[in-house]
Amino acid sequence: MTEDERLAKNMRIREHGKLTRQKRKSQICRVYRVKIDISHLTKQQILHLKMLFVEAKWLYNNVLTFLTDHDITEYDSKTLTVQGLDKDGQPVTHELRYISSQMRQSVIQGLKDNMNSLVSLREHNRKTGRLRYKSDYGSIDLQQYRITYRFYDEEHVGIQGFSKPLKIKGANQFWNTPNLEFANAKLLNLPKGYYLAITTYQNKGCELKNYKPEIGIDMGITTTITTSDGQKIKVLVEESERLKKCQRLIARRKKGSNNRYKAVKLLRRAYQKLTSRKRDAANKIVHDLLEHERVYMQDENIKGWHKSLFGRTVQHSVLGLVKAKLMKSERVIVLPASAPTTKYCPVCGKLKRDITLADRVYECSCGYREDRDVHAARNMLLLSRNNTCGTQGINAYGEDIRRLQPEGLSRSLVELGSPTSEVRVVHSRLSKATDTERINFS
Ligand SMILES: [Zn+2]
């Protein structure tokens, strides 16, 4: 390729990138995960999948060694042999047979990205460690759809280097979505098997629907989520017996033994299951909440709860996940932690300063009385609308909520109606996960 051709090619890539970025602005990005069904694969194909991650690890560690006395730009990414150490610490030469050139590049790029993030952390005077050798490589980037991977049909996906398509499960999540575009993907090596995490884009506006009215939500420890219409959603994903059993098993096994390694593998599988169940519960809750036109929540410090007295309960709850998912939506408005959602009395407007965490019912000297969490959730609607007590809010996109509300528009308690006093318990074990019981607030 001559110099002119090379420059022309670079130009084309740049122009194309610009167009894509422009297009992405009007699209929604979603990542779906599908599982690779290895039950019909030949031994050779299973070995191939396994070796991709082993070779990626070899390459990563090799580049890391190279970096101790060289610059990363000097590394020859075309090399097909890497140096490493075997179990006893003796130097060995590994041959890279399975990993494709695009995958090799993405491993090196991943290392570059890690270095850059360390550098930028250091520039901001943050404490940093250093890059370490990996004993497992968990994810391989498949950068380009149609080149490193492609769909043949709903059940078959081709991956660069494999002679035959691989069978997958779970593409029904997105297969019938109109105008879906596939972008990059990641091949994941998780405790329960191999997965593909596929980044997709779809046009905004496909999801316009009739929303329910605005809602305020309060996140607590005992009831988890309380909405301004009086619903309490209680979620607890508990550690399974199996998980506890695995932990005991590991404790009994000798360090460094093969049996211990097997037990660790079992434990990792149990943890993956727990995480999936948490994510499932969180998805269900977020889906329900986002049926409302606007969701008001407060920027509460869940991490802080984690550290203090509530550690264990919060760890098992799904609150953090729900919060993170909600914050991504542009219809969610976040009030700052300083907004007095608990203290403010919506009837007389006074602030009750002596309310403690133990008080489950809010009682004001003016006679107003309400369940503490419902009270807080309803106050989020009131405070964000009325902009009382100097409350300012920003939503997920950094918009000041005062901009979203015309001055003088206010809302009264009467407008909100009375709460319905309903508790919905979302158990992780139930697949439908809804169970309604009535409670009495006063
Ligand atoms: Zn009052």
Side-chain angles (χ1 to χ4, degrees), residues 345 347-349 364-366 368:
C345 171
V347 176
C348 62
C364 180
S365 51
C366 70
Y368 167 82

Side-chain angles (χ1 to χ4, degrees), residues 263-311:
V264 169
K265 266 186 151 179
L266 283 180
L267 181 72
R268 285 186 187 161
R269 288 170 71 99
Y271 265 118
Q272 194 191 331
K273 184 151 192 171
L274 183 71
T275 323
S276 315
R277 284 193 1 222
K278 276 186 190 171
R279 197 186 302 139
D280 176 54
N283 278 338
K284 281 171 182 158
I285 294 168
V286 170
H287 176 264
D288 282 3
L289 290 176
L290 285 181
E291 288 192 333
H292 296 266
E293 193 186 352
R294 273 191 197 287
V295 180
Y296 293 86
M297 60 184 272
Q298 195 166 18
D299 190 10
E300 276 159 303
N301 186 358
I302 293 175
K303 264 191 195 153
W305 291 350
H306 215 302
K307 276 181 195 154
S308 64
L309 56 165
F310 304 108

Side-chain angles (χ1 to χ4, degrees), residues 343-352 362-369:
K343 290 173 186 155
Y344 180 70
C345 171
V347 176
C348 62
K350 278 184 199 153
L351 291 183
K352 184 180 161 75
Y362 180 93
E363 265 186 301
C364 180
S365 51
C366 70
Y368 167 82
R369 193 183 149 88

